[in-house]
Amino acid sequence: MTTETKRERGRGRLYHQRGSAFWWMAFYKHGKQVRMSTGEVDEKKAERALKLKLQERDAELGGGRKMITPRQQRITVSELLDNLESDYRLRGIASPQFKSHLTHIRKHFGDHRAVEVTAALVDRYIETRLAEGARPASINRSTQVFGQSYKLAVEHGLLSSAPRMRHLPERNARQGFFSGMEFRSVLSNLPEYLRDFTEFAYLTGWRSGEVKSLSWSDVDGDTIKLRAENSKNRTARSVPLVGELAELIARRRLQMSTLTDRIF
């Protein structure tokens, strides 16, 4: 004997199955009925599980992503951030700045289920940070870290997809004694072989000797590291490769000879 909840035709149904404490779901896919446990005893949570399954079904039928597993439905953003923090520690790049960005994301999204985070929710987070007075560059670093947590989860098979993360235009990159417009004017008049080197130093604020020390082995995915022994103050540093920096490094890969490991 089963009990079930009535829903709009074509949008699946929930029911109780004899011998199980969980709510079960049933819906049609490719003309065949699919029945499975929601893994939930609370009806509202079961409704949410069914809704996610229907969204995944509709996306898949439309050429989108595949259906996600019950385990994927339960993963929280906090778990993704914990995994990323462990990854950063193993790679030796868990800087105080990185931990600060984790804190911002965890505060806003920590209790969210990872599969429920959408590009629209990320945009709302960005709007909130901007209203609080955060600069675009700082927000971009946080969303870049957030995106890395999803990328790692997909690589490890914990999730099947990731939401789009908006990248804001940055007008507050390190500018030294130049305005952005003045720097671009100077850059355009430099010899071509100096342009990437100068732009990298401008965007990161790293000293010329530090930039000269960089090799391709210092590029770790979407992060570039400055080793402690090459830093003037003997402290290792790292920056995420996003926006103009990502484009610059991609350009260098195409331009550089395979005979040298140096980036500049």
Side-chain angles (χ1 to χ4, degrees):
M1 182 176 180
T2 63
T3 60
E4 62 181 83
T5 60
K6 293 184 178 180
R7 296 174 57 84
E8 180 183 347
R9 184 177 178 82
R11 302 311 298 167
R13 62 189 177 89
L14 294 174
Y15 64 96
H16 268 129
Q17 186 161 288
R18 181 181 296 174
S20 174
F22 298 125
W23 281 95
W24 284 62
M25 66 175 86
F27 57 90
Y28 280 88
K29 180 185 176 187
H30 298 304
K32 296 182 179 180
Q33 189 176 62
V34 177
R35 294 171 179 260
M36 63 178 67
S37 172
T38 66
E40 304 287 359
V41 295
D42 180 87
E43 186 174 3
K44 288 185 177 179
K45 291 182 178 180
E47 284 275 359
R48 184 162 58 178
L50 174 59
K51 181 180 178 181
L52 285 171
K53 280 295 182 185
L54 293 174
Q55 289 174 345
E56 292 294 333
R57 178 202 64 180
D58 295 345
E60 185 179 351
L61 292 177
R65 60 184 180 177
K66 297 180 179 179
M67 294 181 69
I68 58 178
T69 65
R71 166 59 183 153
Q72 290 175 335
Q73 293 175 6
R74 289 179 174 80
I75 295 173
T76 65
V77 168
S78 276
E79 291 179 76
L80 300 190
L81 299 180
D82 288 342
N83 291 340
L84 183 65
E85 189 168 14
S86 295
D87 178 70
Y88 264 57
R89 281 198 301 267
L90 288 173
R91 292 193 284 154
I93 57 174
S95 67
Q97 292 86 352
F98 163 73
K99 293 178 180 178
S100 174
H101 295 310
L102 277 186
T103 298
H104 281 298
I105 296 298
R106 199 183 299 275
K107 178 181 177 182
H108 194 92
F109 287 105
D111 293 334
H112 282 67
R113 293 192 182 197
V115 295
E116 293 178 343
V117 175
T118 63
L121 286 178
V122 175
D123 283 352
R124 207 171 301 163
Y125 161 76
I126 291 173
E127 290 173 352
T128 299
R129 291 288 307 278
L130 287 171
E132 292 172 347
R135 293 184 175 184
S138 178
I139 297 171
N140 284 339
R141 300 298 87 77
S142 292
T143 54
Q144 188 261 348
V145 164
F146 198 15
Q148 283 183 337
S149 71
Y150 273 92
K151 180 180 177 181
L152 184 66
V154 172
E155 289 175 352
H156 288 181
L158 299 176
L159 295 174
S160 57
S161 62
R164 179 184 60 81
M165 302 283 172
R166 184 185 299 276
H167 182 82
L168 297 175
E170 295 185 21
R171 299 182 180 85
N172 62 322
R174 293 180 183 266
Q175 297 178 1
F177 299 102
F178 291 99
S179 68
M181 186 177 298
E182 288 170 335
F183 173 77
R184 297 301 169 188
S185 177
V186 170
L187 189 67
S188 66
N189 286 284
L190 288 175
E192 187 172 348
Y193 72 92
L194 281 177
R195 290 177 186 172
D196 285 345
F197 176 88
T198 304
E199 185 175 17
F200 185 93
Y202 168 77
L203 292 172
T204 61
W206 291 1
R207 298 173 178 87
S208 62
E210 295 172 338
V211 178
K212 289 177 184 177
S213 75
L214 295 172
S215 63
W216 289 111
S217 59
D218 296 320
V219 178
D220 188 1
D222 48 12
T223 303
I224 187 166
K225 299 182 291 183
L226 175 65
R227 299 179 212 176
E229 61 266 29
N230 295 326
S231 170
K232 184 175 181 180
N233 60 8
R234 293 295 182 261
T235 301
R237 300 196 297 276
S238 65
V239 292
L241 295 176
V242 295
E244 292 177 293
L245 275 179
E247 294 172 5
L248 190 156
I249 293 300
R251 185 166 64 245
R252 296 301 294 177
R253 283 192 183 278
L254 294 175
Q255 294 174 350
M256 295 304 294
S257 166
T258 56
L259 299 178
T260 178
D261 187 43
R262 294 295 179 188
I263 297 177
F264 299 102

